Amino acid sequence: MENTRRSFLKKVSAAGLGVAGLAMTGNAGAATAHVVAPEAQAKKKPAGKDDGKLRFGFIGTGSRCHEHINNVLAIPGNKIVAICDIQQGPIDRTLKHISQFGVDAPKVYKGGEREFEHMLNNEDFDCVIIASPWEWHVPMSVAAMKAGVPYVGVEVSAANTLEECWDLVNVSEATGSHLNIMENVCYRRDCMAALNMVRQGLFGELLHGTCGYEHDLRDVKFNDGKNYTYQPGSGDLRMGPDAFAEAQWRTNHSVHRNGDVYPTHGIGPVAHCMDINCGNRFLSLSAMATQSRGLHKFIVDNGGENHPLAKVRFNLGDIVTSMIKCANGQTIIVTHDTNSPRPYSLGFRIQGTEGLWMNDGDTVYVQGQSKPHRWDNSEDWFKKYDHRLWAEHEAEAAEAGHGGMDYVMMFDLINAIHNKMPAPMDCYDAAAWSAISALSEMSIARGGALVDFPDFTRGKWINRKNNFAI
C-alpha cells in the first residue's frame, strides 16, 4: 500500500511467472510436497542466545527494510546481526540508518544473488525478515526455513505461483519453522476494530466482503533512475535495470502478467474476519480484467509518443476484479487498480445479517442500534471497539510507519517469538492470500472461468481455531 517498497536486486525478469506456470490446481501440491531431509534441517538455536536479545537478520535493504528496522530496534531486547543485499547503495543507506540508533553495526553480506544463503548458513538468527522483490520471496523464505531459522517474516505478496504457495506450506511443515506473512494492513487500527466488532457479533452472520488494492502507482512504476517516484519534468522515464527502487522490478510484472498481482493488503483483514483457514476456506475464484491503458498513457503523457517505453506492451489490465466463494457461503470481491489516476483506497466492506462497515466513507450501520436507513460515523464505533493491541500500544505506535500498524505488527511477531507461539499470520495465510494472484491470472486467461482454490491446510481448516489478535 505504501510508496516505500524495497530497493534490492537488479531487475530479474518476471517472464515465466504468468499463466504458463500456473497449471497446478486443487490439492496437487499435496502430491508434490517439498519434503526436507532431516540432514538438511539445521538445528534450531534458542531464542535470545548469549545476551538474551532476539537476533534479527534482513534480506533486502531498501526503504521497507528501514521501516522494519525502526520497529525492531524500538522494541527492547532485539539486535540486528546481519543484513544482505546485492547493491552497495541500499547497504550503505541501511548502515547509516542503523547507526542512528547507537547500536553495533551488523555484518554485511553482499555480492551474488545467492549471497543470502551464506548469511543464513553462517549466522544464528531468531528471526529473518525478507523485504526483496516479489520473485525472490519464496526462494529466500525456503532457504531461511531450511537453515533452521525459527521465525521467517516475508513481505507481501508472499508468492507468485501456486507452486510457490505450496513450497511455503510444505517447507514450513517439514522444518517446523514458522513462516509469517508481513501483512501490515491486518494491524490497521480500523481493521482491528472492525474485527473486534465481527467477533462480538455486531454484524451478525457474515455474508459478504469487498476489498482490494486501489492505489495509483504510475509514478512508482517509472522514475528517473535517481528518485523513488517520478516527478514530471525531472528527467527521463525509466523502468528496469536503469531505474531506481521498485521501478527496477515491479513494472516488469505489469509487462508479463495479467491478474491481481498484489492481493494481500485487501484480502488479509477480510480473511481474518471470515475465519479463513480456521473453520472456513476459499473454495473457488473467477476473475476478469479491463484493457491495459494506464501505463502506456502515462508514458505518452510524460515522455511523448516517440519515447522508447511507448513501444512496451503491458499485459496487466488496469482494473482486475476477482470474486471468491467461501466454504461457509460468503462471497468476496477483490479489486486491483494501480494504473489509474485515483485516490488511495482498500475498499473494505464487511457485511452481515445485522449490519456492515464500509471503509470508503468511514461508515457503520448496526441494526437496532443505528438510526433506520442512516449511516453512523465509524469513528464512534471504533472508539468503543478499539482492539486491545492498539489500546495498549498507541503511544509506541504513534511514531511508526503507516499510521502505527507497522509497529503493532512487529510487536505481535516478537511477542510470538518470545513465547514460542505460532506465527500470527502463518504459512497457510501466506499461501491462501497470495494464491489469488496465480488463480486470477489463470481465470482471466480462460475468459473468467471458475477455478478451484487449493486447500493449503489439507483439511485442517475444519478444526483450526482463529488465534489472530486474540
Side-chain angles (χ1 to χ4, degrees), residues 91-372:
I91 290 174
D92 292 341
R93 288 188 288 273
T94 299
L95 291 174
K96 181 179 180 180
H97 185 76
I98 293 174
S99 70
Q100 299 173 8
F101 291 86
V103 299
D104 293 338
K107 292 184 181 179
V108 174
Y109 287 81
K110 60 182 180 179
E113 291 181 345
R114 312 300 299 192
E115 189 64 21
F116 64 90
E117 294 174 340
H118 295 147
M119 186 188 87
L120 293 169
N121 291 325
N122 291 340
E123 307 294 338
D124 287 351
F125 298 106
D126 298 297
C127 181
V128 168
I129 303 294
I130 296 165
S132 61
W134 299 339
E135 51 266 36
W136 283 97
H137 284 181
V138 171
M140 291 172 174
S141 296
V142 166
M145 290 188 284
K146 286 185 177 181
V149 178
Y151 290 82
V152 178
V154 60
E155 263 296 342
V156 297
S157 289
N160 300 289
T161 69
L162 295 184
E163 292 91 339
E164 288 186 334
C165 291
W166 278 113
D167 279 346
L168 294 178
V169 171
N170 292 331
V171 176
S172 179
E173 289 179 342
T175 61
S177 291
H178 298 282
L179 182 84
N180 188 80
I181 181 171
M182 304 296 287
E183 183 41 78
N184 59 353
V185 180
C186 291
Y187 292 89
R188 210 171 81 173
R189 195 165 194 168
D190 57 349
C191 291
M192 297 200 82
L195 177 62
N196 229 0
M197 295 178 70
V198 168
R199 288 175 171 172
Q200 295 189 40
L202 271 294
F203 300 140
E205 180 185 359
L206 293 192
L207 301 169
H208 179 70
T210 69
C211 59
Y213 188 62
E214 300 171 296
H215 190 183
D216 183 358
L217 294 182
R218 294 172 300 165
D219 63 350
V220 172
K221 294 183 179 184
F222 304 100
N223 57 43
D224 61 3
K226 299 177 182 179
N227 299 295
Y228 191 91
T229 58
Y230 178 74
Q231 305 298 321
S234 65
D236 195 17
L237 282 168
R238 300 183 185 182
M239 57 173 279
D242 296 330
F244 180 72
E246 287 186 54
Q248 290 183 332
W249 55 269
R250 186 169 190 161
T251 321
N252 207 31
H253 288 263
S254 300
V255 174
H256 295 284
R257 305 173 64 188
N258 189 14
D260 189 333
V261 298
Y262 200 63
T264 68
H265 279 335
I267 199 61
V270 174
H272 286 309
C273 287
M274 294 191 176
D275 294 322
I276 299 302
N277 295 327
C278 303
N280 196 9
R281 79 173 186 93
F282 300 140
L283 280 182
S284 57
L285 177 147
S286 175
M288 292 188 180
T290 70
Q291 63 271 51
S292 180
R293 297 290 184 268
L295 296 184
H296 175 77
K297 185 176 186 300
F298 187 82
I299 294 169
V300 172
D301 288 348
N302 290 278
E305 294 182 357
N306 295 322
H307 192 282
L309 293 182
K311 298 178 182 179
V312 176
R313 179 181 180 273
F314 295 97
N315 283 325
L316 182 65
D318 287 353
I319 302 172
V320 177
T321 305
S322 303
M323 176 173 278
I324 300 172
K325 181 67 175 179
C326 300
N328 290 349
Q330 300 93 347
T331 54
I332 304 171
I333 293 175
V334 188
T335 303
H336 181 270
D337 177 1
T338 61
N339 299 342
S340 306
R342 58 159 301 122
Y344 173 85
S345 173
L346 297 185
F348 287 119
R349 171 179 165 188
I350 303 294
Q351 186 165 1
T353 57
E354 296 294 326
L356 71 160
W357 164 53
M358 292 179 63
N359 173 214
D360 289 342
D362 297 317
T363 53
V364 166
Y365 179 82
V366 178
Q367 183 171 261
Q369 299 189 51
S370 303
K371 293 181 180 179

